[in-house]
Amino acid sequence: MMQTLFRTFLFCCFFVSLTATAAPNLLLSNTTDPATSAAGQAVNAAYDYKDSLDRDTPRGTLKGFLEAVYEQDYTKAAKYLDLRYMPKGMSASNGEEYARKLHAIIERNLWINLQDIDDSPAGDLDDLLPDYRESFGNITVKNAEVSLLLQQVPSKKLGKIWKISNATVALVPSLYEELGYSPLTEWFIQNVPDGYIFKLSLWEIVFLFTCLFASFAVVTPVCLITAWLVRKTDIKMKEDLAGLIAKPLLFFTALGLDHLLLSSATLTANARAFLNNGYLLFGTSLWLGWSAIGLFQYIIRERLINNGNKQGAAMVRPFLTFIRIILLIFAVLSWMEYQGFNATALLAGMGVGGVALALASKQTLENFIGTMMLYSAAPVKVGNLCNFGGIRGTVEEIGLRCTRIRTIDRTVIHVPNAKLSEMEIENISMREKIRFKSDIRLDYGTSTTQLKQIIEEIKLLLENHDKVDKKPLRVTFRGFGAHGLEINVFAYIGTKSLPVYQVAAQEIHLGIMEIVEKQGSRIVPATFDAQLLS
């Protein structure tokens, strides 16, 4: 059950990691707080773009450029670049190439929130830049910061429009050489069809899956062969160890190799955000840690059993299950803190919900407390034969919630620990010897001499039996019963084993019958036909 729930949790992490890739791209154009959003809507509603490409304002220009390159219409995107006065070696005829490379630079190194870009024809007059210029981002190259700029240029129809500055365009070749894509990435860009899924380029998706497939192709044979070799050994835990190698360790190693490959690759900011979210690696790490604790549990349990400590072996599973839960909670909170959530505030909120949860899980808490009492007081241990109320059986396992009991009929009963801790428990296995008690009835035709001789010989029989304790040992004439002369036999058989006791009791009963027959008397039942005595 726990493995099923854990695998379901990993699947959810995988699904979230896929769908989360769309979220960073939304930041490119739409992410903002409510107040900024309302202000931006007000500005957009008030200003009516006159230019067919919306280049009236800095925001309109940048928005139009990003939309064009997103649609991979680099001819249109080039119209947003100021290609005048290009330096030597650059030409306005290569505007499409400059637009594509600038797009790659932005994708790999910059997050742009369009709501932060001014949407008035005059631009932001308080940004400490000349009135005709507007910055839309800064990137670092060789420890130096480079500003990406928009600037106003002359327009025959509108007088002035905004374009990406020719100073910025002039830097595109050198910036692309430092910050652009590697030859391998360029190959994927050129050979994979254009398009987007969840606003992630198709070539990026193919590249990511290619690296993932390559990682699994390398790691899978190694792990499977290692698991096969482990199964060929004679160690007791070979199946558990082989399972850990062939499943969680395989996935963890493959994902680690995949991250190592992708860390040296040139990817967009969106793809890097997908890799850095840690969903898959976090889930696989939990799976590996969970399985490793299970293997550790097996090793400790076997060692304790081999040392004869069955009670300690029984405590291993619930204790390590508790440790697993604590580590899982700690890992989830740490990961949430890494993702930017306030784990402290979350814990504070959980404190209120914890009260409601405690009330709802009252029975579970009672069982847990009952488990602690059973382990601390130790009235029963694994392997003990006990009477639990009207149930007799052998304790097989003391879990966190309930205790498993195997009855004499070989059926299994699970008793909640809260209920078990309140029961009157007779621990049969804790007795050091077993009582032998028998009442013998002789018919009234038995003489006094015969009675005395029978008592002495029965006592001598018990004293000479190697399984009977010498003290206490009593064979006495109880008196005149309703059905005969009553002799009481009381002694202890010096064994804990019920089969050994049964053999010894049989030998004593047969010996008593021989003594009675030899003395000429007879044993009568508790109820009988009175004519038998006539």
Side-chain angles (χ1 to χ4, degrees), residues 49 84 163 166 230 234 291 353 371 402 417 437 458 509 532:
Y49 291 105
R84 302 173 304 153
K163 287 188 176 183
N166 53 7
V230 168
D234 296 328
S291 301
T371 302
C402 62
N417 290 334
K437 182 179 182 296
I458 292 176
H509 283 132
L532 294 176

Side-chain angles (χ1 to χ4, degrees), residues 459-529:
K459 184 178 294 186
L460 186 61
L461 171 68
L462 295 175
E463 291 175 347
N464 292 334
H465 198 287
D466 59 343
K467 295 295 183 182
V468 177
D469 287 355
K470 306 307 177 185
K471 292 182 180 180
L473 188 154
R474 297 191 298 271
V475 182
T476 56
F477 174 48
R478 288 183 59 186
F480 306 95
H483 307 104
L485 304 173
E486 296 184 352
I487 298 176
N488 175 257
V489 180
F490 178 88
Y492 280 99
I493 308 299
T495 181
K496 296 180 180 181
S497 171
L498 184 60
V500 173
Y501 164 80
Q502 289 174 331
V503 172
Q506 173 181 281
E507 293 173 351
I508 295 171
H509 283 132
L510 292 174
I512 291 174
M513 289 180 67
E514 292 175 356
I515 291 170
V516 172
E517 291 175 0
K518 184 178 70 173
Q519 295 300 326
S521 183
R522 65 174 179 169
I523 299 173
V524 295
T527 59
F528 62 95
D529 191 345

Side-chain angles (χ1 to χ4, degrees), residues 53-119:
L53 299 178
D54 298 343
R55 294 173 296 182
D56 308 62
T57 68
R59 184 191 297 178
T61 296
L62 193 56
K63 180 173 180 291
F65 175 78
L66 294 176
E67 288 176 350
V69 294
Y70 176 76
E71 296 170 358
Q72 298 185 340
D73 186 353
Y74 295 112
T75 301
K76 180 181 178 181
K79 296 179 181 180
Y80 291 90
L81 306 180
D82 182 8
L83 299 174
R84 302 173 304 153
Y85 315 119
M86 289 290 96
K88 186 177 180 180
M90 296 182 66
S91 172
S93 60
N94 295 327
E96 295 181 14
E97 181 68 14
Y98 303 148
R100 185 184 68 81
K101 290 184 176 181
L102 179 59
H103 176 220
I105 294 169
I106 293 174
E107 272 198 322
R108 291 207 59 235
N109 304 278
L110 194 62
W111 294 98
I112 298 177
N113 182 4
L114 290 176
Q115 300 300 329
D116 292 336
I117 308 300
D118 194 275
D119 197 31

